[in-house]
Amino acid sequence: MRYHSLGRIPAKRHVQFRDPDSSANGNAPLLVEEVMGFEGFSGNESILYHLFSPCRVKEVGAFTPIVLEEWVPETHVHRLTHTMEMAPSGDAVLGRRVLQYNGDVEIGICVPEREADYFYRDGEGDEVIFVHEGSGVVETIFGSLEYRKHDYVVLPRGTTYRFRFDEPQRWLTFYTPGEIETPNRYRNRYGQLLEHAPFSQRDFHPPAELVTHRSRDEHHVKVRVRGGYQDYVLDYHPLDVVGWDGYVYPYTFNIHDFEPKAGRLHQPPPAHQTFQGPNFVICSFCPRMLDWDPMAIALPYHHSNVQSEEVMYYVDGDYAARKGVEIGSFTLHPSGLPHGPQPGTVEKTLGIKETSELAVMCDTFRPLKLTTLARDLDDPSYAYSWYEDPVAG
């Protein structure tokens, strides 16, 4: 991402910098500089200036392991998962329910019934939250980040934050121990997005306001590390940053700011790519004009995921290639099996000029495992949806 700054920072790094708003007599106290960076000291970084040491802990609480109960199906088939009937449960962190996962990414749903009464930090991975329904503010150490319906909220590891809701929420969630980035092919050697990219820097929104908290009340912070959640108690407010600058910070990107590409003939899924992670991509399928060749077939051609798994989450509109797939559903087309339009759908769409589909896709390049929640929400009839009875037909 591009360079950004909020609040007050000194003219040079690693120099004395005192609290400009301190009411103390004499010299104001020195602020505590924190360098938050990727790849040791070789990747992107930001520098934050705290009122208190970010190492300061009053009490170390319990460590709770994260347990994903794997479901190993007896059959290897295409799967349909319905999630709209999931009842609200948990908060903005513990309410996240994983459906598919591997060593590169966890994909799930969150329908929180309440805000968290603690602050949270993912210590070992980046997070992407797609807001299917809802709006609000993410309070972070980098400042306040407003979000709205159909935003991607990207939260880099190390970001201490807390969601504040304006209305009921429904999220599609991604966690990765890797790094979330825009695709390499969209960026020049300086990191700027190129003219042919489906978005520009203007479409990515960092925190707009930095609120520095000076209270000395106790606050609970939950940190995801080593396959679990570690609880801490602080004797100061964790959002105590006076200023920061750099290239690492949370941001939002709304799916409706993605500029879909069209062609004379069908465009393949990479045309819809929005983010990349290690061994997976996230794509945005948006309303768009369709192929204009008079002989074009507008629907995706049959293809075999020989080296990838395709997860599609349906957000809104009408996805013409699939029958019986509802908003809020997932389809999983695993590696080793061809998939494509269901019988009759190609003929019905010949000559159409546009599509209203809105969906988020994740392609992984290593096999996905399923959780018992995916089992409970599974629609086994989907595997037969390409079958036509030759006698009845």
Side-chain angles (χ1 to χ4, degrees):
M1 300 308 299
R2 61 186 174 185
Y3 174 85
H4 192 61
S5 177
L6 278 180
R8 303 182 187 182
I9 57 174
K12 300 289 288 185
R13 299 173 298 172
H14 322 320
V15 299
Q16 296 179 36
F17 184 42
R18 298 183 182 275
D19 180 6
D21 295 324
S22 174
S23 59
N25 294 326
N27 288 335
L30 284 169
L31 295 172
V32 180
E33 181 186 63
E34 177 192 10
V35 178
M36 181 187 296
F38 285 69
E39 300 177 16
F41 293 92
S42 301
N44 283 340
E45 69 175 29
S46 286
I47 299 180
L48 304 96
Y49 295 88
H50 296 265
L51 296 173
F52 307 100
S53 168
C55 307
R56 181 185 178 103
V57 175
K58 180 179 180 181
E59 181 181 337
V60 177
F63 178 86
T64 306
I66 297 172
V67 178
L68 295 178
E69 297 182 1
E70 183 182 359
W71 170 43
V72 181
E74 296 180 355
T75 56
H76 186 74
V77 296
H78 299 308
R79 299 199 174 275
L80 174 61
T81 307
H82 298 290
T83 70
M84 288 303 286
E85 298 305 316
M86 289 177 59
S89 65
D91 57 38
V93 177
L94 300 181
R96 302 177 194 182
R97 310 286 303 281
V98 175
L99 292 164
Q100 302 110 0
Y101 68 99
N102 60 22
D104 303 313
V105 64
E106 297 173 5
I107 306 169
I109 286 288
C110 183
V111 190
E113 63 179 347
R114 62 182 181 276
E115 298 175 345
D117 59 0
Y118 52 85
F119 289 91
Y120 177 65
R121 179 167 69 246
D122 197 320
E124 294 183 335
D126 286 8
E127 299 173 349
V128 178
I129 294 173
F130 177 78
V131 182
H132 187 167
E133 298 173 358
S135 62
V137 175
V138 194
E139 300 174 341
T140 85
I141 54 172
F142 295 94
S144 299
L145 184 67
E146 294 186 359
Y147 68 93
R148 58 192 173 97
K149 184 177 181 179
H150 297 167
D151 269 348
Y152 291 100
V153 182
V154 180
L155 297 155
R157 73 199 62 207
T159 302
T160 302
Y161 68 85
R162 179 172 62 184
F163 274 87
R164 293 301 197 193
F165 304 155
D166 289 340
E167 56 187 318
Q169 312 281 314
R170 177 178 296 272
W171 304 338
L172 168 64
T173 64
F174 300 91
Y175 160 84
T176 176
E179 186 175 352
I180 292 294
E181 305 171 296
T182 53
N184 292 334
R185 67 181 184 279
Y186 295 165
R187 292 182 262 120
N188 65 22
R189 66 183 185 274
Y190 305 107
Q192 185 175 8
L193 291 169
L194 295 164
E195 282 292 309
H196 71 265
F199 37 59
S200 76
Q201 266 84 11
R202 299 178 187 180
D203 299 319
F204 293 80
H205 305 287
E209 179 185 10
L210 181 65
V211 180
T212 305
H213 294 267
R214 298 172 176 271
S215 70
R216 295 302 304 270
D217 301 331
E218 288 190 356
H219 293 274
H220 177 197
V221 177
K222 189 182 295 291
V223 181
R224 177 170 178 166
V225 284
R226 303 301 189 270
Y229 299 116
Q230 176 65 58
D231 289 325
Y232 301 94
V233 176
L234 310 182
D235 64 348
Y236 65 95
H237 198 293
L239 307 187
D240 68 335
V241 172
V242 169
W244 66 272
D245 75 332
Y247 288 79
V248 176
Y249 51 84
Y251 60 88
T252 62
F253 170 75
N254 194 272
I255 196 171
H256 298 287
D257 287 326
F258 186 88
E259 300 301 333
K261 295 192 179 298
R264 187 168 63 88
L265 299 174
H266 184 75
Q267 299 296 295
H272 308 283
Q273 187 179 349
T274 310
F275 300 108
Q276 67 182 23
N279 298 311
F280 73 93
V281 299
I282 298 174
C283 300
S284 302
F285 286 78
C286 300
R288 62 194 183 278
M289 301 301 295
L290 289 175
D291 326 316
W292 56 81
D293 188 280
M295 295 298 290
I297 294 178
L299 294 187
Y301 37 76
H302 285 75
H303 51 287
S304 295
N305 292 1
V306 177
Q307 291 182 307
S308 68
E309 315 248 312
E310 179 195 279
V311 177
M312 186 80 81
Y313 178 75
Y314 298 86
V315 179
D316 202 356
D318 178 24
Y319 195 72
R322 297 279 175 268
K323 294 183 292 186
V325 176
E326 304 166 350
I327 291 172
S329 297
F330 287 87
T331 53
L332 169 61
H333 300 134
S335 57
L337 300 177
H339 71 277
Q342 291 162 327
T345 57
V346 171
E347 290 79 1
K348 289 181 179 179
T349 58
L350 292 179
I352 64 171
K353 301 300 183 184
E354 59 185 10
T355 175
S356 64
E357 70 184 22
L358 189 65
V360 176
M361 186 181 81
C362 181
D363 267 7
T364 69
F365 304 124
R366 295 200 292 181
L368 286 165
K369 300 178 181 180
L370 303 175
T371 65
T372 53
L373 177 62
R375 175 199 63 198
D376 297 341
L377 302 176
D378 185 61
D379 182 348
S381 67
Y382 183 68
Y384 298 98
S385 61
W386 287 267
Y387 179 74
E388 290 183 302
D389 189 332
V391 176

